[in-house]
Amino acid sequence: MDVMDTIQTILAICGGITVIGGAAAVLSGAYKKYKKPTSDLEKRIEVIETDIKDIKQKLNNDYENINENRDNMNLLMRSMFCLIENKITGNNIDGLKKTRDELINALTEK
């Protein structure tokens, strides 16, 4: 009977371990299912935030390029005006010199 009691004790311990392991697996599965929507939302938010940062940077680059193009266009228009004024009146040499210097500065800054 001593051996039988020992075997029953070992089997009882193994059964307890099995029950505890099964319960832990069920609880772990339930916890994962419970947390899944939250983790999915967090991942989506991270992706959206990185996309927004990328879009903002591209917009800022576009605004800078637009402003630079506007400044260049204004400079060209002033140049054309000075040339037309010089052709019409024969004057405005100072305006041409000033515009020339502005053109040189604009071309050498880039």
Side-chain angles (χ1 to χ4, degrees), residues 49-97:
E49 285 176 347
T50 55
D51 288 348
I52 288 173
K53 286 178 185 176
D54 185 46
I55 290 169
K56 281 184 178 181
Q57 182 164 0
K58 288 178 181 177
L59 277 174
N60 287 336
N61 290 339
D62 289 346
Y63 287 140
E64 289 174 11
N65 289 336
I66 288 170
N67 288 333
E68 184 178 325
N69 287 339
R70 184 183 310 140
D71 293 341
N72 290 338
M73 186 61 70
N74 287 338
L75 182 59
L76 288 173
M77 291 297 178
R78 282 196 311 271
S79 301
M80 294 297 291
F81 174 76
C82 288
L83 287 172
I84 291 170
E85 182 71 20
N86 182 277
K87 281 290 188 184
I88 292 173
T89 63
N91 294 329
N92 200 16
I93 301 294
D94 292 333
L96 285 172
K97 288 180 182 178

Side-chain angles (χ1 to χ4, degrees), residues 1-12:
M1 284 288 203
D2 222 6
V3 173
M4 255 339 213
D5 288 336
T6 306
I7 291 175
Q8 282 182 341
T9 305
I10 291 173
L11 289 175

Side-chain angles (χ1 to χ4, degrees), residues 20-32:
I20 291 172
V26 168
L27 290 175
S28 172
Y31 182 73
K32 286 180 183 177

